[in-house]
Amino acid sequence: MRFSKLFAPTTKEAPKDALLPSHIFLIRGGFISQTGSGLYNFLPLGKIVLDKIKDIIKDEMDKAGAQEISMGVVNPSELWRQSGRYEVYGKELLRIKDRKDNEFVLGPTHEEVVTDIVRNRVNSYKQLPLHLYQITTKFRDEARPRFGLLRGREFIMKDGYSFHSSIDDLKREFDLMEKTYTQIFTRLGLNFRAVAADSGAIGGSGSKEFMVLSKNGEDDILVCDKCEYAANTEAAKREKKRTDIVPPKADFSKFHTPILASIENICKFFRIDSFYTVKAVIRKAIYKENKSEIVVFFVRGCDALQQIKAQNAAKALELIEVSEEEIESAGLIAGFCGPVGLENVKFFIDNELREEKNLICGANERDYHYVGVSMFNFKNERYADLVEVEDGDLCPCCGGRLSLTKGIEVGHIFQLGQKYSSVMNAVFLDQNGKSQPFFMGCYGIGVSRLMAVMIEANHDDKGCIWNKQSAPYILDIIISNVKNEAQVKFATELYDKLKSEKRDVILDDRNERFGFKMNDFELIGFPYALIVGRDLDEDKVELVSRNSNTKEFIEIDKLNEKLREVF
Ligand code: ATP
Ligand code: MG
């Protein structure tokens, strides 16, 4: 490509809402343009990068035996009704009608459509396993589209769906996909971790997220400093919390506590550590068809409630804050709520409180607490993992120290099991001639998000720094002065030769100042520039590495050898 012909509208200014380096530099570098909130176009440079990322993904997916297809963006609502997701998916699902008033959705993900494709076409275990994937546009009406390509409304995803005749075969594919994703993100040169995750709206059991560690990430993840353990806060486990602080030993009794009850005040009042208190978190759980009820979650006073864990325990779609009136009308007394003797309200207790002794909790009576509480008499179903794991907690696998860091989710793999196939009646005949719903898995990668992640991972204050795997062009040959015939001749001949060798090269032949061209080189972030300038008189050219920010003069007769290293 000749720069003089390239449509790369670089700019000095970034849009006001661009806060992150990837957003700023992808716009300023002329990779993408914006048409609306969360809506982006890929310009030539952006399209090349996107295709390079796609090629790596496709290569690895094909190697793993998956087959590429392409499903429609507009999907009949009927399919979403069959799966039951039409109501529960929420406002991210854009619902539209055609001229005949038929209802459709813009596909935010394609479990329903792929299940419909496979049902009645695959009938026997002999045709399994089957893995179909696509790399196409998705639409999600995100509540807060932001950070450019990191969270768009229209974005490009690789989504794959696999079908199996047994759980074991699904697990085999899941492991294969974990390896495949590891290979993809390694080839892209990213610093990532596969983390245990919550399964969210897509549902099913067994899921892992691939997180690129980055300070600008939206996700909180806990990473062990000793072993491979890493998890999203929503799914993070820890070694049970312990303390050396002496417990407040007392016989079980009701104690008058005429204070404004908070964990802090209770600790002061009894002169104890919050480890020995039980905190009540009261929430309203929202279920299908707008049903709701008050639910209480009990955790140690020193712990915080993890919202998603709590939501899963209550099997709710959402948990929301409650007003004082709602607390009262549920028969609860704010500040004095405890699990002992609590009736007529649904409640859950954190696993770590199971069989603990010497605790203090509310007595469900104004101005009273129980002391000397032992957690023995609660039904098993009351217990759930509810706590938010924090920085410094201990690793559940090796006892190492967990640290809290930020990550950007670039991929997510799920074992769906029979969740979709059973409700959508997608069945096959097993070896015994018995009809069974397929065992399914699904596997996503944020392809357009990855483009931004590459820049979050590698940039400086001047612009993008692409690695060779994703760069729009690897070498930028810059003619310092296009009025100098010798420079033009040398650079053009070199460019033609490299092109004939199918090298990834661009020739900056524009009639612009040298400084202007260097600025574009730095902003766009090609890995290397070869400057053909005044030193050509001494048979030398200059090679600049964008990543290491180093320059070296190369003698022309050594150039070929050097360029082989570059590519
Ligand atoms: P997030 O928690 O970031 O919203 P998600 O859990 O909704 O992601 P999935 O449904 O698992 O995402 O989708 C698969 C992949 O698609 C994600 O791992 C992510 O990389 C990408 N992705 C999801 N939402 C967006 C978006 N709004 N813009 C760009 N990429 C996205
Ligand atoms: Mg999402």
Side-chain angles (χ1 to χ4, degrees), residues 183-231:
Q183 186 64 15
I184 290 169
F185 299 128
T186 304
R187 274 178 72 177
L188 286 169
L190 293 167
N191 179 15
F192 66 96
R193 293 290 272 267
V195 310
D198 174 65
S199 298
I202 293 185
S205 57
S207 107
K208 275 193 177 173
E209 284 173 356
F210 286 78
M211 292 282 181
V212 169
L213 306 186
S214 161
K215 69 176 194 316
N216 290 331
E218 287 184 278
D219 291 285
D220 293 315
I221 48 178
L222 288 132
V223 181
C224 178
D225 63 1
K226 265 207 202 137
C227 75
E228 282 295 294
Y229 182 79

Side-chain angles (χ1 to χ4, degrees), residues 89 92 108-109 140 142 145 148-158 202 209-210 218-219 408-414 443-450:
Y89 205 91
E92 274 184 31
T109 171
R140 293 183 182 179
E142 296 274 354
L149 296 183
L150 285 178
R151 186 167 296 284
R153 292 197 294 168
E154 191 179 299
F155 59 96
I156 297 168
M157 196 202 286
K158 187 289 291 180
I202 293 185
E209 284 173 356
F210 286 78
E218 287 184 278
D219 291 285
I408 304 177
E409 182 189 323
V410 289
H412 201 165
I413 56 177
F414 294 88
Y443 320 91
I445 293 182
V447 182
S448 48
R449 178 180 284 186
L450 268 174

Side-chain angles (χ1 to χ4, degrees), residues 227-499:
C227 75
E228 282 295 294
Y229 182 79
N232 203 309
T233 40
E234 295 162 6
K237 306 252 184 272
R238 68 181 181 197
E239 198 180 286
K240 186 173 171 179
K241 203 181 227 173
R242 295 175 204 286
T243 181
D244 295 334
I245 301 170
V246 199
K249 288 210 172 109
D251 288 337
F252 177 72
S253 61
K254 197 154 75 178
F255 214 93
H256 190 222
T257 49
I259 47 169
L260 192 59
S262 65
I263 291 299
E264 204 190 336
N265 289 345
I266 290 293
C267 291
K268 270 195 211 142
F269 185 88
F270 286 105
R271 297 215 203 120
I272 55 159
D273 189 84
S274 59
F275 183 84
Y276 294 107
T277 62
V278 178
K279 175 162 72 183
V281 184
I282 308 172
R283 291 279 181 271
K284 184 149 104 183
I286 311 289
Y287 306 103
K288 261 193 215 168
E289 290 154 3
N290 259 335
K291 290 192 186 119
S292 68
E293 77 183 307
I294 300 292
V295 184
V296 190
F297 301 93
F298 294 103
V299 295
R300 276 189 200 281
C302 57
D303 283 329
L305 181 76
Q306 212 303 320
Q307 289 290 329
I308 302 292
K309 288 183 180 178
Q311 190 173 304
N312 291 345
K315 298 198 171 63
L317 294 180
E318 202 187 346
L319 292 181
I320 57 175
E321 302 275 329
V322 279
S323 64
E324 274 176 38
E325 295 80 61
E326 284 172 311
I327 294 179
E328 239 165 71
S329 59
L332 299 170
I333 300 156
F336 299 92
C337 178
V340 179
L342 184 61
E343 277 166 7
N344 304 325
V345 58
K346 192 187 246 181
F347 68 93
F348 295 93
I349 304 168
D350 181 52
N351 278 339
E352 289 190 18
L353 284 168
R354 196 191 288 260
E355 297 187 3
E356 287 294 288
K357 291 180 282 205
N358 303 312
L359 298 168
I360 292 181
C361 69
N364 300 311
E365 193 178 327
R366 188 164 306 284
D367 294 341
Y368 283 94
H369 275 80
Y370 285 126
V371 299
V373 175
S374 299
M375 306 290 271
F376 281 112
N377 296 325
F378 296 102
K379 280 185 261 163
N380 219 4
E381 305 89 81
R382 294 268 184 228
Y383 288 100
D385 174 19
L386 298 174
V387 287
E388 175 117 347
V389 178
E390 282 159 2
D391 192 89
D393 284 348
L394 302 183
C395 174
C397 301
C398 75
R401 195 178 171 282
L402 294 174
S403 49
L404 186 64
T405 55
K406 292 277 181 192
I408 304 177
E409 182 189 323
V410 289
H412 201 165
I413 56 177
F414 294 88
Q415 293 174 36
L416 295 172
Q418 295 173 309
K419 178 178 156 114
Y420 292 90
S421 51
S422 59
V423 288
M424 291 184 70
N425 199 27
V427 296
F428 67 99
L429 291 180
D430 68 15
Q431 263 158 311
N432 306 316
K434 204 181 127 220
S435 165
Q436 276 205 61
F438 294 108
F439 294 89
M440 290 173 60
C442 81
Y443 320 91
I445 293 182
V447 182
S448 48
R449 178 180 284 186
L450 268 174
M451 187 167 150
V453 167
M454 301 299 295
I455 298 309
E456 287 302 324
N458 209 10
H459 63 268
D460 61 14
D461 55 0
K462 294 182 188 135
C464 307
I465 304 177
W466 298 99
N467 57 22
K468 286 188 211 171
Q469 298 84 312
S470 55
Y473 294 99
I474 292 175
L475 180 70
D476 178 15
I477 303 175
I478 301 178
I479 305 173
S480 177
N481 175 6
V482 290
K483 305 224 164 69
N484 179 313
E485 274 176 35
Q487 288 179 21
V488 173
K489 182 165 181 289
F490 180 85
T492 310
E493 280 175 12
L494 177 65
Y495 168 73
D496 287 338
K497 174 176 160 288
L498 292 173
K499 283 281 287 181

